[in-house]
Amino acid sequence: MAYRTTAASLGLALVLSASAVFAQEQATPFDMSGERGPAVEKPAAVEEEKPATETPVTQTGEPEKKAATADPAARRYIIPAETLLLEGEVASRSFPVFLTKEQAAGADAISIGYSSAVVVAPEASKFTVVINDVPVKEMPVQSPEGTTDMRLPLPPGLLRPGVNRVTFSVAQRHRTDCTIQSTYDLWTAVDPARTFLTLPAEKGGALLTTDDIAAVGLGPTGRTKFRMVVPEMGQPAATNALMRLSQGLALMAKMPNQTFEIVNALPEKAEAGELTVLVGTAGDLSPLLPALPASAQTAALATFVDAPGGRKVFVLSGPSWPSIEGAVEGVVSPVDRPLGVTREALSVRQRNAAEMPLVMGEAALTFSSLGVPTSEFSGRRFRTGFDIGIPSDFYADAYGEATLMLDAAYSSEVLPGSHIDIYVNGNIASTVPITNRDGGIFRHLPIRVTMRHFRPGPNRIDVETILRTQADAVCAPGASALPEPRFALFDTSELRMPRFARMAQLPNLDALSGTGFPYNGLTDPIALYLDRLDSDTLSAGATFLGKVAVASGRALQIRPEASALAIGERNAILVGTISQLPPLVLAQTHIAGESASSWGAAAGGGQQRATQDAFSEWQSRVRTGSWRGQITAFEEWLHRTFDISLSSLRLLPGPEQEILPDARAGFLVAQGDSPEETGAWTVLAAPTGDALRAGMDGLAQEARWQQLGGYASLASKDGKLPLDVRPVNRARFVATQPWTFSNMRLVAANWLSLNILAYAVAFCGLSILLGITTSALLHRFGRGS
């Protein structure tokens, strides 16, 4: 009987086991080929804490038991952008990470989330992580089906207090294709939200001194926010202190995508990449901060204080606003650059984790000094580059040429038809063909680089080499991964900049975004007009001044004005909704007066767009077969064939066209002269206060800030479209250098190159004058025949 019971129990167990296996197969289906289904990527919000291992872990499903989510404040995000794409066969990007002493000692690992193209061959492709020039890990690129999360332990002592350089580089090869075009299909995407240094929770976001403000860091989307809590923000006395403080904080952090938000209530918490700053008198801040030091009742105070919730906030307080201004000045003055002190580099470490040399004139810079190492390359398309800074009074975009003295070598398998291309700010500036079939070495090969694409401020110069070989034409199996180098670039190569004309121009938003001109060198305070002292307008003004301060390398002296009409002939910055700006300001900055009532109106915007569409349609109809159409076609042919426009064939440039923003525009920046043309006025405007703050926050992102140019730039409502830049037709010259004949000769050469008809008239006039003079001399000497 017992035997029968045992057998029955065993049979029941087997049935239950078979049922469980069948249920599992139904829950996890497999296709007939045996391939697993697509990976289900785990959201970043429920990411598990993984052990310290170098093995990549691709999330293919939900874990059985979720671990507690790590404190975001204990993460130091690295990438100052929403996305990072490493494209091509070789690519590298470096980023600075500022750490306090406690953070540098406590950081124990770096987490990386990345994905790659399906066509990347993992056996021949490498992803390398380098910190402070020390390789941390080299791994195959193999994440085509989703984001792979890596957690790499860091050796003790690798990170240091202050700036640390983190570099991500890839070497990628195609699985099957050997063509040049196939190299554009290679990419590795690093997820900024899943790439960070891991810190102990008790040391993650702890800032203790003023010097620690530089370690405010980034958020998961690559942005930095300073939230300034000002209970009495409507007081006119507070405006100067807030605007001055925003510039000082921006100079301390020097983050590429930093914004300011001015509110009157203390937020419940601060996320990664955010710093809460409280500004106000001791009486205003006492209800918000029970731990406010009693010394704030009698003297100025600038320190970190414990806030409700167990976090630290930065506090500037005192018995009155004049004392608070003193505390602000004590914070700003150590990072401010005094007038008269010339800077030799642009402090934009976010580009390559290094200072950018500022080229003021004739100079020779080696690649080694620009951060470009000697490299050997075995692929098809090699690309590398460097950054230089150009001063605000650069005036050589029509005639100037720089020279790249190239030291390089290529093997005998490289075929004619290969070439070396030089790009300036993404625009091709020069091409050098490779014609020798037996290989060769370039020793200071001069490559002329036109300077028409240079602009004041940061400039990117890229060297790209396209290599064609017979082996790539055949493309045998495994040929794309051959290690034999075909090309070498040596760090002894040089960039030689000529002596160029130095003459500033206004209006010029390119110079404003690049170097802060014309406000960067003023001794008199700049007039600042805010149409109302509310959160939106103050936030937009603080964000704009923070960006200009970083571009200028110094904090600007600001004097708030209650009325725009009180500005007079001074240099000024005006911020407000379009309807609150006086007609005089709109006229001087080339903004149509009717935009004050029509911009932002739903019905009017739709009618305006319909009118523009109808006008464009009739214009295309009238042009067909008419003499105007022939002139337009001739102008297009001139521009396409000789890069000449009819505007350059005018003796005198025409006036700037008035700006009438359409329904797609949500924010604009415009610049013009004061009524007597002795000062520069810059206007930030939008239809509403919300659009004003949102538009300035979008413009503060580094990629869009570098697009700012012309006499006006308009941003779309959603911030996704490129800026609508209106080029300058008539510029006013502003002398920045002592008068010299050599500089004026260069200025004249560039002006005549821009105004071809004036050059032709001057040439004909001088030729006629020479003929008359020669004839008169011949008659005088009796040789009239």
Side-chain angles (χ1 to χ4, degrees), residues 244 336-341 516-527 552 554-559 570-571 678:
R244 182 75 172 170
D336 196 7
R337 178 172 59 89
L339 286 171
V341 177
F517 182 84
Y519 307 115
N520 54 353
L522 298 179
T523 56
D524 297 329
I526 303 165
S552 304
R554 59 181 295 264
L556 310 179
Q557 293 290 340
I558 298 296
R559 178 177 296 170
R570 291 177 293 165
N571 293 279
T678 58

Side-chain angles (χ1 to χ4, degrees), residues 445-460:
L445 173 70
I447 303 176
R448 293 182 177 180
V449 180
T450 175
M451 299 175 68
R452 62 176 301 181
H453 301 299
F454 282 85
R455 54 171 287 167
N459 290 264
R460 177 72 179 182

Side-chain angles (χ1 to χ4, degrees), residues 443-752:
R443 294 185 177 179
H444 268 39
L445 173 70
I447 303 176
R448 293 182 177 180
V449 180
T450 175
M451 299 175 68
R452 62 176 301 181
H453 301 299
F454 282 85
R455 54 171 287 167
N459 290 264
R460 177 72 179 182
I461 301 176
D462 289 299
V463 180
E464 184 177 79
T465 305
I466 303 298
L467 302 172
R468 303 181 184 275
T469 66
Q470 185 62 36
D472 290 340
V474 176
C475 198
S480 62
L482 293 177
E484 187 68 24
R486 301 172 174 176
F487 178 78
L489 178 66
F490 304 107
D491 62 4
T492 54
S493 303
E494 291 184 358
L495 174 68
R496 294 184 178 178
M497 293 290 291
R499 184 164 51 91
F500 49 80
R502 303 286 300 276
M503 181 65 70
Q505 304 171 81
L506 285 174
N508 192 349
L509 291 179
D510 298 82
L512 176 67
S513 64
T515 61
F517 182 84
Y519 307 115
N520 54 353
L522 298 179
T523 56
D524 297 329
I526 303 165
L528 175 66
Y529 170 72
L530 305 174
D531 71 337
R532 55 171 59 92
L533 301 182
D534 60 359
S535 177
D536 292 330
T537 308
L538 287 170
S539 299
T543 300
F544 179 76
L545 287 175
K547 295 295 293 185
V548 175
V550 173
S552 304
R554 59 181 295 264
L556 310 179
Q557 293 290 340
I558 298 296
R559 178 177 296 170
E561 294 290 346
S563 172
L565 301 178
I567 294 174
E569 291 299 314
R570 291 177 293 165
N571 293 279
I573 298 172
L574 304 99
V575 184
T577 55
I578 191 70
S579 60
Q580 298 298 317
L581 296 175
L584 174 64
V585 174
L586 301 180
Q588 291 301 126
T589 53
H590 318 291
I591 302 174
E594 55 265 32
S595 62
S597 57
S598 63
W599 191 15
Q607 183 178 1
Q608 178 186 353
R609 179 67 183 277
T611 302
Q612 289 180 350
D613 293 341
F615 182 81
S616 300
E617 182 179 354
W618 275 99
Q619 190 176 31
S620 62
R621 291 180 181 178
V622 173
R623 280 181 177 177
T624 305
S626 66
W627 63 273
R628 290 185 178 180
Q630 296 175 1
I631 292 177
T632 302
F634 176 70
E635 182 179 6
E636 294 175 352
W637 176 80
L638 276 178
H639 189 272
R640 182 175 61 254
T641 307
F642 302 104
D643 197 18
I644 297 175
S645 62
L646 292 184
S647 60
S648 63
L649 300 179
R650 299 173 181 171
L651 282 175
L652 295 175
E656 313 294 356
Q657 294 184 353
E658 285 193 336
I659 307 165
L660 186 60
D662 58 19
R664 294 170 296 179
F667 177 77
L668 71 82
V669 181
Q671 192 174 80
D673 291 323
S674 62
E676 298 296 329
E677 296 187 352
T678 58
W681 290 1
T682 302
V683 168
L684 281 70
T688 63
D690 292 340
L692 183 67
R693 178 196 285 192
M696 189 60 236
D697 286 352
L699 184 64
Q701 310 312 306
E702 186 66 17
R704 297 181 67 79
W705 180 257
Q706 293 300 325
Q707 296 177 12
L708 195 64
Y711 72 93
S713 296
L714 288 79
S716 59
K717 288 182 177 179
D718 55 8
K720 296 181 180 180
L721 297 177
L723 296 185
D724 179 11
V725 177
R726 308 293 175 88
V728 178
N729 291 328
R730 178 181 295 176
R732 172 170 64 92
F733 288 129
V734 179
T736 58
Q737 304 293 318
W739 192 94
T740 60
F741 175 78
S742 60
N743 187 55
M744 295 307 298
R745 179 183 66 83
L746 296 175
V747 170
N750 196 76
W751 190 88
L752 291 173

Side-chain angles (χ1 to χ4, degrees), residues 79-81 83-86 91-95 128 130 165-170 350-352 460:
I79 303 172
T83 59
L84 174 62
L85 203 62
L86 302 175
S92 179
R93 289 292 304 273
S94 298
F95 304 100
T128 307
V130 178
R165 180 187 177 101
V166 180
T167 302
F168 303 111
S169 60
V170 293
Q350 69 273 10
R351 285 200 170 213
N352 56 6
R460 177 72 179 182

Side-chain angles (χ1 to χ4, degrees), residues 267-539:
E268 295 182 0
K269 62 178 182 178
E271 302 294 338
E274 294 183 2
L275 177 63
T276 303
V277 182
L278 276 72
V279 185
T281 62
D284 295 334
L285 299 184
S286 295
L288 301 178
L289 288 178
L292 182 68
S295 59
Q297 300 286 348
T298 57
L301 177 70
T303 186
F304 281 90
V305 176
D306 293 324
R311 56 195 171 100
K312 293 280 187 180
V313 296
F314 190 54
V315 176
L316 293 100
S317 184
S320 62
W321 279 105
S323 63
I324 296 175
E325 291 185 6
V328 169
E329 197 61 33
V331 172
V332 177
S333 57
V335 296
D336 196 7
R337 178 172 59 89
L339 286 171
V341 177
T342 304
R343 54 178 173 169
E344 299 180 354
L346 297 182
S347 298
V348 283
R349 291 194 304 261
Q350 69 273 10
R351 285 200 170 213
N352 56 6
E355 299 292 335
M356 185 183 304
L358 183 60
V359 181
M360 307 297 290
E362 188 174 7
L365 304 171
T366 63
F367 276 23
S368 59
S369 65
L370 294 169
V372 180
T374 297
S375 302
E376 292 184 337
F377 179 65
S378 61
R380 290 133 205 86
R381 183 169 63 95
F382 173 79
R383 190 179 182 101
T384 188
F386 54 88
D387 300 293
I388 63 170
I390 297 296
S392 55
D393 56 358
F394 170 77
Y395 188 63
D397 56 336
Y399 81 98
E401 286 185 342
T403 304
L404 191 65
M405 309 300 293
L406 189 68
D407 287 345
Y410 61 97
S411 67
S412 58
E413 61 178 328
V414 176
L415 298 177
S418 304
H419 51 90
I420 302 173
D421 301 327
I422 310 299
Y423 292 84
V424 177
N425 293 326
N427 303 286
I428 190 165
S430 184
T431 298
V432 177
I434 296 177
T435 58
N436 193 353
R437 289 181 176 271
D438 300 324
I441 296 178
F442 297 136
R443 294 185 177 179
H444 268 39
L445 173 70
I447 303 176
R448 293 182 177 180
V449 180
T450 175
M451 299 175 68
R452 62 176 301 181
H453 301 299
F454 282 85
R455 54 171 287 167
N459 290 264
R460 177 72 179 182
I461 301 176
D462 289 299
V463 180
E464 184 177 79
T465 305
I466 303 298
L467 302 172
R468 303 181 184 275
T469 66
Q470 185 62 36
D472 290 340
V474 176
C475 198
S480 62
L482 293 177
E484 187 68 24
R486 301 172 174 176
F487 178 78
L489 178 66
F490 304 107
D491 62 4
T492 54
S493 303
E494 291 184 358
L495 174 68
R496 294 184 178 178
M497 293 290 291
R499 184 164 51 91
F500 49 80
R502 303 286 300 276
M503 181 65 70
Q505 304 171 81
L506 285 174
N508 192 349
L509 291 179
D510 298 82
L512 176 67
S513 64
T515 61
F517 182 84
Y519 307 115
N520 54 353
L522 298 179
T523 56
D524 297 329
I526 303 165
L528 175 66
Y529 170 72
L530 305 174
D531 71 337
R532 55 171 59 92
L533 301 182
D534 60 359
S535 177
D536 292 330
T537 308
L538 287 170
S539 299

